[in-house]
Amino acid sequence: MREPVELRRKRILAVVHARGSVKVSTLAEELEVSVVTLRRDVEELSQEGKLRRGHGVVRPVGGSVVPGARDGTAAGSARRVTKARGVPAGESAGDGGAIGLVVPERHSYLYETLHGARTALEEAGMRITLHITPQSAGAERPQVEQALAGGARGLLIAPRWRSAAGEEADYGWLSEVGVPTVLMERRPRPGSALHALDSVCSDHWYGVHLAVDHLVSLGHRRIVLAARDDSPTARSVRAAFAEIAAGRPEVEDWTVVISSSNAGPGEPGSPPQDAPDLAVLLRERRATGAVLHGDEDALMLVQRLAESGVRVPQDCSVVAYDDVVAALGSTPLTAVAPPRGEIGRAAAELLLHRLAHPLGAGGAVRRVQLLPSLEVRGSAQELSGPTE
């Protein structure tokens, strides 16, 4: 599926805002688009006043870049500063050490989280270094070590954690990094080594509740969840759906399937999993409602349903989960929208609090949850007539 223009431009803005300055050629390579396409996007974003361009380099609007921050590297972005506010007493924005932001590459869901964190840190006058982890097992640790070697005084991190086993493999070393650390959009297993680590995440149980409750309120009693299974968010969505559907007496039948062949927890290069034909599955189970996670898979599944003669919402009502690009389909999808930007901002504010009030000095560990919302569009409607 070709990446929507709006999503690609959100990714451009997120990277530029996080780094402060980046070369057009470097940006095109990292986002895996042609330089021609990237320049066209940059030109339009510049005309809209969303960024500045010049001599092959793109910069964000506002703020300031001191000498040495024009190379587009993580080291360069570390020198980007703004007016200091909220810095711990006795310190200034220039006092040694940056905040390291560690996020997976090509992860559109987390780009808005990254932007929210970056905005809050800049408002507090903190210097930032961005560390992007490749799609491979154990990729976070080298990036964290690099941030610490560069003098990072605190970390904001959203590990990819494609599988539960991969997640637990990181618990030991991540609990011992030695600087204040806040997990973004991640909630470790209860009782694990990271249980007592500060974290901020969406309440995905509530998000799934919104989706199921919306379908049930429209009269749908047979519901399918087609979901990914390759991230903590995906695993939370799947577990929440099973619990909620089983506990709602109105739901007569439900099932959980994988949303696409590459949506499983295997590492890159591993054989794809078999994904069922959703149109066939809906007919077999006489399902009239579906929750689809995440957005890109949802848009592709709706296209395939149309090709198989299943109309959305006339034959099947759909609620997507993520709301990154759900509104861009030919039929805009009703979607659960986790507060991605607010997650990043809350995580940054929690890290600032922890820098000023270290654990062991009277400060309690904080685990913050923010509630998603439901964006109602045109992909779900009231059930009309029997399902037999």
Side-chain angles (χ1 to χ4, degrees):
M1 177 181 176
R2 179 176 295 177
E3 182 179 44
V5 173
E6 181 176 320
L7 176 58
R8 185 175 68 242
R9 291 179 181 174
K10 280 186 177 181
R11 295 174 63 203
I12 291 171
L13 290 172
V15 174
V16 173
H17 286 159
R19 296 191 182 185
S21 177
V22 61
K23 293 180 179 179
V24 170
S25 58
T26 300
L27 192 55
E29 181 178 353
E30 291 186 5
L31 299 183
E32 296 186 332
V33 299
S34 70
V35 173
V36 172
T37 297
L38 197 286
R39 284 175 176 161
R40 183 170 60 248
D41 288 339
V42 166
E43 173 65 25
E44 295 197 18
L45 290 170
S46 175
Q47 291 177 1
E48 294 171 5
K50 295 180 179 178
L51 50 73
R52 295 183 297 143
R53 63 184 180 86
H55 303 294
V57 176
V58 187
R59 301 184 182 90
V61 174
S64 60
V65 182
V66 299
R70 302 179 181 275
D71 57 4
T73 63
S77 66
R79 303 185 184 97
R80 190 170 191 273
V81 298
T82 57
K83 183 178 179 181
R85 287 185 288 162
V87 180
E91 300 181 7
S92 68
D95 289 337
I99 299 300
L101 276 73
V102 183
V103 296
E105 68 172 338
R106 294 194 292 277
H107 201 304
S108 58
Y109 179 93
L110 289 170
Y111 276 121
E112 289 182 51
T113 302
L114 168 64
H115 180 59
R118 171 256 177 188
T119 301
L121 291 172
E122 283 195 342
E123 288 174 355
M126 304 302 292
R127 300 184 296 128
I128 304 164
T129 60
L130 177 63
H131 301 267
I132 301 178
T133 59
Q135 299 185 56
S136 57
E140 280 79 18
R141 187 169 187 173
Q143 296 299 320
V144 168
E145 291 174 347
Q146 181 181 354
L148 296 176
R153 57 190 297 187
L155 293 172
L156 291 175
I157 182 169
R160 186 180 298 275
W161 285 346
R162 290 179 62 93
S163 66
E167 176 180 335
E168 296 205 14
D170 285 342
Y171 283 177
W173 68 264
L174 191 51
S175 67
E176 300 175 350
V177 295
V179 299
T181 300
V182 176
L183 288 172
M184 298 188 298
E185 201 59 290
R186 300 291 183 255
R187 182 56 49 87
R189 176 179 56 78
S192 70
L194 294 187
H195 188 114
L197 191 69
D198 289 321
S199 62
V200 179
C201 70
S202 301
D203 185 343
H204 294 299
W205 187 97
Y206 183 74
V208 175
H209 162 74
L210 290 176
V212 174
D213 192 65
H214 183 61
L215 290 171
V216 168
S217 72
L218 295 173
H220 300 282
R221 300 293 181 262
R222 308 179 74 86
I223 304 172
V224 169
L225 170 69
R228 302 191 68 85
D229 190 20
D230 59 353
S231 72
T233 295
R235 292 189 288 275
S236 295
V237 167
R238 296 167 72 89
F241 180 84
E243 177 185 340
I244 292 168
R248 292 288 297 251
E250 306 98 321
V251 178
E252 298 172 3
D253 184 75
W254 61 273
T255 189
V256 178
V257 297
I258 195 165
S259 57
S260 69
S261 58
N262 66 346
E267 297 300 332
S270 62
Q273 297 189 22
D274 291 332
D277 185 317
L278 187 58
V280 172
L281 180 66
L282 292 172
R283 293 189 180 104
E284 288 177 347
R285 303 192 76 103
R286 295 181 287 113
T288 62
V291 181
L292 307 180
H293 171 263
D295 275 9
E296 293 185 30
D297 288 343
L299 291 175
M300 294 180 70
L301 286 169
V302 169
Q303 291 174 7
R304 290 173 189 161
L305 288 176
E307 293 167 359
S308 299
V310 178
R311 301 167 300 167
V312 172
Q314 294 90 337
D315 301 320
C316 179
S317 286
V318 166
V319 177
Y321 199 103
D322 276 356
D323 203 31
V324 177
V325 293
L328 303 181
S330 55
T331 298
L333 302 182
T334 292
V336 174
R340 297 177 298 276
E342 293 180 56
I343 291 291
R345 171 173 282 278
E349 291 172 349
L350 178 51
L351 181 59
L352 293 171
H353 171 82
R354 183 62 60 225
L355 288 168
H357 304 87
L359 289 173
V365 173
R366 299 186 177 190
R367 307 184 77 189
V368 180
Q369 279 192 312
L370 302 183
L371 270 60
S373 60
L374 183 70
E375 300 298 325
V376 178
R377 301 190 180 101
S379 63
Q381 67 179 27
E382 189 171 359
L383 183 65
S384 57
T387 60
E388 297 295 338

